[in-house]
Amino acid sequence: MTQSNGPTPNTNTPDWEQRFRAPRVSLPDWAEDAPDRSLFVSNATGTYELYAWNRATGEQRQVTNRPNGTTDGVLSPDGEWIWWFDDKDGDEFGVWRRQPFTGAEDELATPGLDPSYPAGLALGRDGRTAVVGRSTDEEGTTIHLALAGEAPTVIYRHRESAGVGDLSHDGTLIAIEHTEHGDAMHSALRVLRPDGTTVADLDDTKGGAEELGLEVLGFAPVEGDTRLLVGHQRRGRWEPLVWDVASGEQTDLALDLPGDVSAEWYPDGSGLLIAHGFEARSELFRYDLTDRQLVKVDTPPGSVSGATARPDGSVEYLWSSAAEPSSVRSTTGAVVLDPPGLKSPGSVPVEDVWVEGPGGRIHALVQRPTGVEGPLPTVFDIHGGPTWHDSDSFAAGPAAWVDHGYAVVRVNYRGSTGYGREWTDALKHRVGLIELEDIAAVREWAVTSGLADPDRLILTGGSWGGYLTLLGLGVQPDAWTLGLAAVPVADYVTAYHDEMEALKAMDRTLLGGTPEEVPERFEASSPLTYVDAVKAPVYISAGVNDPRCPIRQIDNYVKRLEARDAVHEVYRYDAGHGSLVVDERIKQVRLELEFVERHLGS
């Protein structure tokens, strides 16, 4: 792997910057029929790009090289081709290209398909079959069967959002997730033949008091096997079942685990690799489908952000904790992939806090500088999503604040994953306001416990966290000293009209309709509604090519700040929803630190 990660760090490079510069790698994906061939993502050159890795020879090769980076790639089951998604400057609108695993010129992977937002991809073991999902404002979702040398054919079309789930081992079955019922938070499943005719449907959104979601986890990796591994929410959390799409039989695993559960097949189809997430930590198990036994896979305390079972039965996983940087490990005891060069400094461990809130107990994660007494200047770093959660995993951003003497509080507000379906689904109709109620409860705890200085409280976040930051500065103007919002929703109505189609569908689900149908809900949930109440200095950073939180709606918010001479700064950069360039990310953190220093002091 080539190592040229921006300016060469020296003894004067601060730890917070070294954490961003240190080379890191994703969990390698491996080819089903050529297990020695793998694909991974790394920032080794200073930009996140795709890399090919031949495990047999040890050779690693950079596959993509674009100014704004590349992270979306798929390795074909035969290991011969690397597919990667080519968009323009991070706008997520583009086409699939491919190149041979051993290296050569890129070629258009699916001639005849116009640029679009991606909606899933599945590649066949025959080396010539691809199932390609596309999303556009004009067409909604279309799914195409693309055979080498032939024009792609449409096998599915609908105005609502949908996506490719998986292609069966023998290529005769195609599983898709769809939201034809109009609820983008809860998908139903359909299995198609390659000609587009339906084999079977599974839909948990009908017949009950509440709509429940399903997700495709993968077909059994066995020739002629019609079993599909499915995630469901029938017991108030995510857990797997096995659905035989030919017979209709459903095998409920009924795992006795308290948190959300996902799974993937072992390569021989005899068992499942279970990933269990609970209260911001995760663990792995093997589940044997014959004797129905659950056996723990030994991993250190912390978070596993990805895992895969290899043909020899070993498990490789990407692990970290708040104190220890990520590494790709194996149950054999080996470190699977160790990038060369600078090693990332660690940080401080995370502490768990539980706070009673209006909707139930709220879980927050706290980091504080070692040996420093409170009350401290405190950063409330709010996660995006909203269907996501902060965990006991390594993050360079919070660690940078701790290095500078701040306590960091991260709140898994209602809407976060990992605490059951009711907690995740609680956002509907009072979007943003519900999350702020939970953040306010944790803020009160932070102040009354002596952790946080009430006169030095910073609200910050990116994406949905950036949205909650701007909303919080307006709805709770006396609660926050400063605000830092990255790629936020700022004007909800304009954001809806400008964003990608899949996010329009999500907003219709969350708010119960379009801005024209439920204008009062969009108004109540939009930061723009409360902009004139903002008292705190606010810093906003935004990608000019962002299709998720588009720039026009941010400009509308900024103009309102300008109109009343409110203290604010705006930084616009040439990328999409965040940057994959290490130097750019460091620049953004430095600008945030400097903004806080100017307005808050050390």
Side-chain angles (χ1 to χ4, degrees):
M1 183 190 300
T2 302
Q3 170 64 36
S4 57
N5 199 17
T8 302
N10 55 46
T11 55
N12 296 320
T13 303
D15 282 358
W16 75 263
E17 185 174 329
Q18 290 185 49
R19 293 191 192 96
F20 285 98
R21 293 203 181 282
R24 63 193 65 210
V25 293
S26 68
L27 179 72
D29 183 25
W30 53 275
E32 184 178 358
D33 294 332
D36 282 337
R37 293 190 168 189
S38 293
L39 182 69
F40 64 92
V41 176
S42 177
N43 65 335
T45 63
T47 302
Y48 284 89
E49 298 285 3
L50 296 169
Y51 287 78
W53 175 28
N54 187 323
R55 297 180 185 228
T57 65
E59 179 186 2
Q60 296 176 7
R61 178 182 67 82
Q62 185 175 339
V63 174
T64 53
N65 184 14
R66 301 194 301 156
N68 285 300
T70 316
T71 58
D72 292 338
V74 177
L75 185 59
S76 64
D78 60 7
E80 293 296 321
W81 292 95
I82 295 168
W83 288 53
W84 61 276
F85 192 75
D86 184 11
D87 64 352
K88 181 181 179 182
D89 298 328
D91 67 358
E92 302 181 46
F93 194 85
V95 296
W96 287 98
R97 301 191 186 278
R98 68 174 192 168
Q99 68 173 258
F101 182 86
T102 53
E105 291 296 317
D106 292 306
E107 62 182 46
L108 191 63
T110 53
L113 292 184
D114 292 333
S116 68
Y117 297 112
L121 174 71
L123 302 178
R125 295 175 64 241
D126 59 4
R128 63 184 302 266
T129 301
V131 182
V132 184
R134 301 171 64 255
S135 173
T136 66
D137 290 345
E138 297 77 21
E139 298 178 277
T141 303
T142 56
I143 295 177
H144 303 253
L145 183 70
L147 301 176
E150 301 180 18
T153 58
V154 176
I155 60 173
Y156 177 87
R157 183 189 303 272
H158 202 276
R159 284 300 314 169
E160 297 292 348
S161 57
V164 178
D166 196 22
L167 180 64
S168 65
H169 197 265
D170 60 8
T172 62
L173 300 170
I174 300 162
I176 69 168
E177 300 174 358
H178 71 83
T179 60
E180 295 174 5
H181 49 285
D183 183 345
M185 293 182 69
H186 303 98
S187 293
L189 306 186
R190 181 167 299 154
V191 178
L192 306 173
R193 299 180 182 88
D195 64 2
T197 57
T198 298
V199 175
D201 280 290
L202 192 61
D203 189 348
D204 281 4
T205 66
K206 301 176 182 177
E210 296 178 292
E211 293 187 338
L212 305 176
L214 297 167
E215 62 178 346
V216 173
L217 299 177
F219 278 106
V222 179
E223 189 73 22
D225 199 323
T226 56
R227 293 176 298 167
L228 179 65
L229 189 60
V230 170
H232 70 90
Q233 295 180 302
R234 296 172 183 175
R235 280 186 289 269
R237 62 196 176 102
W238 283 107
E239 53 188 316
L241 64 79
V242 178
W243 176 35
D244 189 323
V245 301
S247 69
E249 180 184 3
Q250 298 178 32
T251 303
D252 189 347
L253 306 185
L255 301 174
D256 186 20
L257 296 170
D260 284 340
V261 181
S262 186
E264 71 165 45
W265 295 93
Y266 271 78
D268 62 1
S270 66
L272 303 176
L273 177 61
I274 301 293
H276 174 229
F278 183 56
E279 296 182 350
R281 278 130 184 124
S282 50
E283 56 188 349
L284 300 177
F285 298 85
R286 176 188 164 92
Y287 181 82
D288 190 285
L289 288 166
T290 301
D291 60 22
R292 299 176 70 86
Q293 292 297 307
L294 192 66
V295 178
K296 197 171 190 308
V297 175
D298 189 35
T299 59
S303 293
V304 175
S305 56
T308 183
R310 293 280 291 166
D312 63 1
S314 66
V315 175
E316 295 178 353
Y317 58 96
L318 183 64
W319 175 91
S320 72
S321 70
E324 297 182 62
S326 63
S327 59
V328 181
R329 305 186 178 194
S330 170
T331 52
T332 63
V335 174
V336 177
L337 191 58
D338 188 19
L342 173 73
K343 302 303 179 185
S344 172
S347 187
V348 299
V350 72
E351 305 168 28
D352 295 277
V353 173
W354 292 91
V355 177
E356 290 298 329
R361 293 175 73 228
I362 308 160
H363 190 196
L365 305 175
V366 178
Q367 290 173 280
R368 66 182 87 201
T370 303
V372 181
E373 296 297 324
L376 298 168
T378 300
V379 175
F380 275 69
D381 188 359
I382 310 304
H383 72 73
T387 50
W388 190 250
H389 68 273
D390 282 314
S391 61
D392 182 9
S393 57
F394 196 75
W401 290 112
V402 173
D403 284 0
H404 285 80
Y406 298 86
V408 177
V409 178
R410 290 178 286 168
V411 182
N412 282 331
Y413 51 76
R414 277 172 287 173
S416 302
T417 55
Y419 302 89
R421 178 181 56 80
E422 289 186 6
W423 191 261
T424 302
D425 288 357
L427 297 191
K428 285 187 177 180
H429 300 172
R430 293 186 62 246
V431 173
L433 304 174
I434 288 174
E435 300 97 295
L436 288 180
E437 291 174 353
D438 291 350
I439 293 168
V442 178
R443 178 199 178 278
E444 179 67 16
W445 165 85
V447 171
T448 57
S449 69
L451 170 70
D453 180 347
D455 295 324
R456 295 186 292 172
L457 290 177
I458 301 165
L459 186 61
T460 186
S463 190
W464 197 265
Y467 158 64
L468 293 176
T469 295
L470 294 185
L471 190 65
L473 295 179
V475 173
Q476 304 164 345
D478 296 319
W480 308 105
T481 315
L482 295 175
L484 311 169
V487 291
V489 174
D491 168 5
Y492 216 142
V493 174
T494 303
Y496 175 86
H497 289 301
D498 289 359
E499 69 194 4
M500 57 171 52
E501 181 60 35
L503 292 184
K504 286 187 173 72
M506 180 61 73
D507 283 338
R508 291 194 297 271
T509 296
L510 286 172
L511 290 157
T514 68
E516 292 71 32
E517 293 166 339
V518 287
E520 71 287 349
R521 291 178 183 168
F522 275 84
E523 181 180 10
S525 293
S526 178
L528 188 66
T529 302
Y530 312 95
V531 64
D532 291 338
V534 173
K535 298 178 180 179
V538 57
Y539 174 88
I540 299 172
S541 59
V544 297
N545 305 311
D546 191 345
R548 298 174 180 267
C549 299
I551 195 68
R552 183 168 72 106
Q553 51 96 27
I554 293 173
D555 289 341
N556 291 346
Y557 185 91
V558 171
K559 288 174 184 176
R560 289 281 294 274
L561 292 174
E562 292 172 343
R564 61 184 186 90
D565 294 325
V567 179
H568 71 284
E569 293 181 22
V570 182
Y571 172 63
R572 298 173 177 85
Y573 56 92
D574 187 19
H577 198 60
S579 177
L580 300 176
V581 180
V582 172
D583 280 342
E584 175 60 39
R585 182 66 185 122
I586 290 171
K587 178 181 179 181
Q588 292 175 23
V589 174
R590 183 177 289 114
L591 288 172
E592 291 180 351
L593 290 166
E594 292 172 351
F595 180 85
V596 172
E597 173 67 21
R598 284 194 298 276
H599 293 282
L600 200 63
S602 299

